[in-house]
Amino acid sequence: MKFLVIGPSWVGDMVMSQSLYKRLLNLYPHAVIDVLAPVWSKPILKRMPEVNCSIDMPIKHGKFDLVQRWQIGRSLAGKNYTHAIIQPNSAKSALIPLFAGIKQRTGWKGEMRYGLLNDLRPNQRIFQYMVEQYVALAHKKEAMLHEVSIINIEAPRLLIDKTTQRITKTRLLLSKAKPVVGLCPGAEFGSSKQWPDQTYAEVASTLIQRGNQVWMFGSSNDESVCADIFNALPIEQKPYCINLAGKTSLVEAVDLLAECHTVISNDSGLMHVAAAVGCNIIAIYGSSSPSYTPPLSNKIRILSIEMECRPCFKRECPLNHLMCLKKLTPSLVLSAYDSLLLP
């Protein structure tokens, strides 16, 4: 059996997709799994031993480009794929396996994909968690409901490259002379997922007082929020807070997150990466819900506020108050931190 998987477009979803690959190999130990996914995801997929190879998807997220999809599909037609699994729910994501002539094409109905998929799963809401929806696609339609549950799913576990880790630490002048706590204060999705920078700064200050150092992670888009957190610290604490936003590649961030004993994060892709490298996780949820995309780890504390208006799943607060985040105080986060470190 040879699978072509059309992978998701977001970091956290890509990390969670590893649970699907693990299940496929549990069911079909000699299967070969190739993943067609955005170029940025190749280093992440290389850290998944279940994946045979990653194939670059040159079409940007949201673009249709029928001609290029046809060309990609025809270029894969001679690869002898027996099965395709399409994780995204869009109609366009199902075109390449069709054009490649792959006989069995499995996915959720999504955008009315009748004819594009011939192993169509009608209602993904029968599963609560996104990772369940992914893993269910490894099973036959008539068996998936009985064989898939969050309690029997293998969590993602990304490999760590010790050589890359050492080189990156040397380049960035990082030391583990003090225990490391990671902060991931950004959120690509929007401000409704972003715990305020001043609360992150209060937590960072307390953690440094307790003898830790703090490494802040994120993309170049997160440089300013990490700078605000750094600038809010007393001058004597600044040497123990390192702003890594925009200074690492995604795969370098994977290796450096593995050096953190605990990571405090918004609901973001880096939260899922941190869980997949074995960190303690304190996950902060605003507009989104841990009932759909929790970090897949047993070393977690999930923080959210029960409010009538959440979860709204909006990028920006529709009521313009962000109380679902502002009511999460630094003391709540620090209490969660202390409970994780209990023997």
Side-chain angles (χ1 to χ4, degrees):
M1 301 177 73
K2 190 173 183 182
F3 290 86
L4 176 68
V5 177
I6 309 301
S9 298
W10 299 96
V11 173
D13 298 351
M14 185 62 72
V15 172
M16 286 188 286
S17 75
Q18 189 183 15
S19 294
L20 166 63
Y21 315 144
K22 288 176 177 287
R23 181 60 60 90
L24 284 171
L25 289 181
N26 285 339
L27 294 171
Y28 312 109
H30 301 294
V32 174
I33 303 170
D34 293 347
V35 181
L36 178 67
V39 175
W40 62 257
S41 66
K42 179 171 282 189
I44 292 284
L45 290 167
K46 283 185 176 179
R47 300 301 183 88
M48 300 181 183
E50 302 81 8
V51 175
N52 173 60
C53 79
S54 61
I55 303 167
D56 292 346
M57 175 58 161
I59 304 172
K60 291 184 178 180
H61 178 63
K63 298 292 185 181
F64 186 70
D65 202 334
L66 181 63
V67 172
Q68 192 169 12
R69 289 179 192 275
W70 165 261
Q71 293 170 342
I72 296 168
R74 297 317 298 155
S75 73
L76 297 173
K79 301 288 187 181
N80 301 316
Y81 291 113
T82 58
H83 297 72
I85 295 178
I86 297 88
Q87 291 181 285
N89 286 326
S90 64
K92 60 183 176 290
S93 64
L95 290 171
I96 290 174
L98 177 69
F99 296 153
I102 301 172
K103 289 187 177 179
Q104 181 170 319
R105 304 180 302 278
T106 300
W108 296 101
K109 182 176 68 173
E111 293 179 349
M112 301 294 287
R113 300 191 288 186
Y114 298 105
L116 298 177
L117 305 178
N118 54 15
D119 177 19
L120 188 70
R121 311 297 171 87
N123 183 13
Q124 67 197 80
R125 293 196 180 102
I126 60 176
F127 294 103
Q128 176 178 337
Y129 297 99
M130 178 182 283
V131 71
E132 293 176 323
Q133 296 169 12
Y134 285 171
V135 172
L137 298 176
H139 291 268
K140 296 184 184 303
K141 186 190 305 186
E142 59 274 13
M144 63 182 184
L145 192 57
H146 306 291
E147 296 183 2
V148 176
S149 166
I150 191 72
I151 62 174
N152 65 18
I153 288 175
E154 279 191 76
R157 286 294 176 264
L158 299 177
L159 299 177
I160 303 304
D161 186 325
K162 292 292 185 181
T163 300
T164 301
Q165 187 184 65
R166 184 176 63 254
I167 291 170
T168 305
K169 286 166 62 180
T170 299
R171 175 174 67 83
L172 296 170
L173 304 177
L174 298 174
S175 163
K176 286 196 70 181
K178 289 177 176 285
V180 183
V181 177
L183 301 186
C184 302
E188 288 289 327
F189 182 77
S191 64
S192 64
K193 279 188 174 186
Q194 200 161 4
W195 201 42
D197 56 85
Q198 64 267 26
T199 48
Y200 267 111
E202 287 183 49
V203 168
S205 179
T206 300
L207 292 173
I208 291 169
Q209 285 175 5
R210 296 184 184 183
N212 297 283
Q213 59 177 315
V214 169
W215 295 356
M216 295 186 290
F217 295 87
S219 70
S220 56
N221 294 331
D222 304 316
E223 287 181 31
S224 61
V225 68
C226 290
D228 289 342
I229 294 167
F230 177 84
N231 290 333
L233 295 174
I235 191 167
E236 66 274 12
Q237 291 187 342
K238 284 181 166 61
Y240 306 106
C241 182
I242 312 297
N243 182 358
L244 299 174
K247 297 181 175 66
T248 67
S249 67
L250 178 56
V251 75
E252 288 172 336
V254 171
D255 291 327
L256 293 181
L257 281 165
E259 292 281 59
C260 302
H261 65 79
T262 301
V263 170
I264 302 169
S265 178
N266 302 326
D267 175 20
S268 67
L270 288 179
M271 174 191 76
H272 292 284
V273 170
V277 297
C279 302
N280 296 321
I281 304 292
I282 298 170
I284 298 169
Y285 281 79
S287 67
S288 57
S289 172
S291 297
Y292 183 51
T293 54
L296 300 173
S297 168
N298 57 7
K299 301 187 295 183
I300 60 173
R301 295 292 184 271
I302 293 175
L303 298 179
S304 62
I305 295 292
E306 292 301 319
M307 297 180 64
E308 186 177 351
C309 58
R310 75 158 297 276
C312 68
F313 298 103
K314 303 292 186 183
R315 291 179 180 272
E316 308 292 335
C317 177
L319 301 177
N320 202 33
H321 58 51
L322 286 174
M323 294 308 295
C324 61
L325 289 166
K326 291 177 179 177
K327 286 187 176 182
L328 286 169
T329 63
S331 62
L332 288 173
V333 171
L334 291 166
S335 294
Y337 173 86
D338 291 337
S339 72
L340 272 172
L341 269 59
L342 289 173

